[in-house]
Every structure is written in structure tokens, then in C-alpha cells.
């Protein structure tokens, strides 16, 4: 049996918003967006707000990281899955937990105290850099780009 039909995993601390809900979903041809985040999995208000961004034909699931790890391999072949996580640490937990992530789109990581800005939309600290290096060691392609039309950059060259 083959693995889940995982189209892409995106790191975006905003999770589902216009860019993800319209541009990326259409570009990928996804019919299921899985938000893998422990806090959002328990927050129905946030889930409802994110659902409003997506067309009705796109299904969403809001899972904890562990639930994503536990059930991703049970996905039906017809499910074209786009996983969205809040940060690089969530992505690393999924990868190390056995989710077959081989390509990550690094879209948005807000600037905050103690982080350095490496692109117009991505800021990192030492823990983020260590997590990106671990993903790179695990063979994950790390592509920094906001929108599909943009030319991506290997984030490892910017760290």
C-alpha cells in the first residue's frame, strides 16, 4: 500500500488565511487541508474562522500533532492533502513521527524579539535554525516562498 497523497506541507504561523486558502489550495489541487497544531485542534472559534476562508468544496481537519501522526497513513487515495503547521518545530515533530514529508514550503514565520529576519516573511532564532537543520538532515527539501508564482529559495542557504 502506498502512503497518503500528501501534496505539500507549509509552515505559516497564520495557518489558513487568504493566501493559503485560495492561492496554494488552487495551485496544488488540494481537496483536504489538515491543520496540524495542538492549540488549534482544541479551538473551535479559530477553526470556524479559518473554514470561512476556504471554498465549500475543500475539506478541513484540525488535528493535534500526535493525531496527525497516528492517522495520516489511513488517508484515502482520493484525498489530496495539504498540511499546514504553525512553525518549524511542529513540522519536525510530524516528520520524526513518521509523516512522509519530503518537501516543506516555508511561507511565514513572524518576527519577534530574539529572532533575526532572513527574508521579508521569515524570521528565525537558534532553535528554529536547529530544527531546519534537522529537517535538512532527514532529507526534507526546504523551499522558502510566499506564493506559488514566486521563485523558491533553499532556506538552508539563508541560515
Amino acid at each position: 500500500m502506498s502512503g497518503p497523497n500528501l501534496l505539500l506541507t507549509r509552515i505559516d504561523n497564520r495557518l489558513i488565511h487568504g493566501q493559503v486558502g485560495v492561492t496554494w489550495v488552487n495551485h496544488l489541487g488540494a481537496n483536504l487541508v489538515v491543520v496540524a497544531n495542538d492549540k488549534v485542534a482544541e479551538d473551535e472559534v479559530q477553526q470556524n474562522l479559518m473554514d470561512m476562508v476556504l471554498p465549500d468544496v475543500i475539506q478541513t481537519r484540525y488535528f493535534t500533532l500526535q493525531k496527525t501522526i497516528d492517522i495520516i497513513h489511513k488517508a484515502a487515495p482520493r484525498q489530496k492533502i495539504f498540511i499546514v503547521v504553525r512553525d518549524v518545530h511542529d513540522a519536525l515533530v510530524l516528520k520524526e513521527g513518521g509523516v512522509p514529508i519530503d518537501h516543506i514550503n516555508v511561507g511565514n514565520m513572524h518576527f519577534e524579539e530574539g529572532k533575526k529576519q532572513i527574508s521579508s516573511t521569515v524570521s528565525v532564532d537558534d532553535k528554529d535554525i536547529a530544527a531546519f537543520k534537522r529537517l535538512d538532515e532527514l532529507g526534507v527539501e526546504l523551499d522558502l516562498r510566499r506564493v506559488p508564482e514566486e521563485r523558491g529559495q533553499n532556506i538552508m542557504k539563508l541560515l
Side-chain angles (χ1 to χ4, degrees), residues 8-10 20 24-25 28 30 32-34 80-84:
L8 183 66
T9 300
R10 177 178 170 93
V20 166
W24 280 101
V25 167
L28 295 169
L32 174 61
V33 178
V34 173
K80 298 175 185 164
I81 305 168
F82 178 26
I83 296 178
V84 182

Side-chain angles (χ1 to χ4, degrees), residues 15-99:
L15 299 172
I16 298 176
H17 54 92
Q19 212 172 59
V20 166
V22 179
T23 309
W24 280 101
V25 167
N26 288 338
H27 172 75
L28 295 169
N31 60 19
L32 174 61
V33 178
V34 173
V35 175
N37 180 269
D38 291 343
K39 286 183 182 163
V40 173
E42 309 299 325
D43 187 340
E44 282 189 38
V45 173
Q46 246 191 312
Q47 293 174 21
N48 290 333
L49 290 170
M50 287 189 266
D51 282 345
M52 291 191 313
V53 175
L54 292 166
D56 290 340
V57 295
I58 307 300
Q59 294 186 329
T60 53
R61 301 287 185 278
Y62 299 94
F63 294 149
T64 63
L65 297 173
Q66 189 58 53
K67 185 166 183 178
T68 305
I69 291 164
D70 292 344
I71 70 166
I72 195 72
H73 294 283
K74 297 175 184 170
R78 69 180 181 283
Q79 292 176 305
K80 298 175 185 164
I81 305 168
F82 178 26
I83 296 178
V84 182
V85 296
R86 190 175 298 271
D87 59 40
V88 63
H89 308 285
D90 285 356
L92 182 57
V93 168
L94 293 179
K95 177 65 177 174
E96 289 183 332
V99 177

Side-chain angles (χ1 to χ4, degrees), residues 68-137:
T68 305
I69 291 164
D70 292 344
I71 70 166
I72 195 72
H73 294 283
K74 297 175 184 170
R78 69 180 181 283
Q79 292 176 305
K80 298 175 185 164
I81 305 168
F82 178 26
I83 296 178
V84 182
V85 296
R86 190 175 298 271
D87 59 40
V88 63
H89 308 285
D90 285 356
L92 182 57
V93 168
L94 293 179
K95 177 65 177 174
E96 289 183 332
V99 177
I101 296 171
D102 56 13
H103 185 103
I104 293 177
N105 163 242
V106 184
N108 202 66
M109 294 173 63
H110 283 318
F111 179 80
E112 56 191 57
E113 191 69 38
K115 293 197 176 210
K116 68 175 182 175
Q117 194 166 353
I118 61 168
S119 79
S120 62
T121 59
V122 175
S123 297
V124 296
D125 61 19
D126 290 342
K127 288 181 181 175
D128 297 332
I129 292 169
F132 278 121
K133 286 181 178 176
R134 178 69 182 132
L135 284 165
D136 184 57
E137 288 168 7

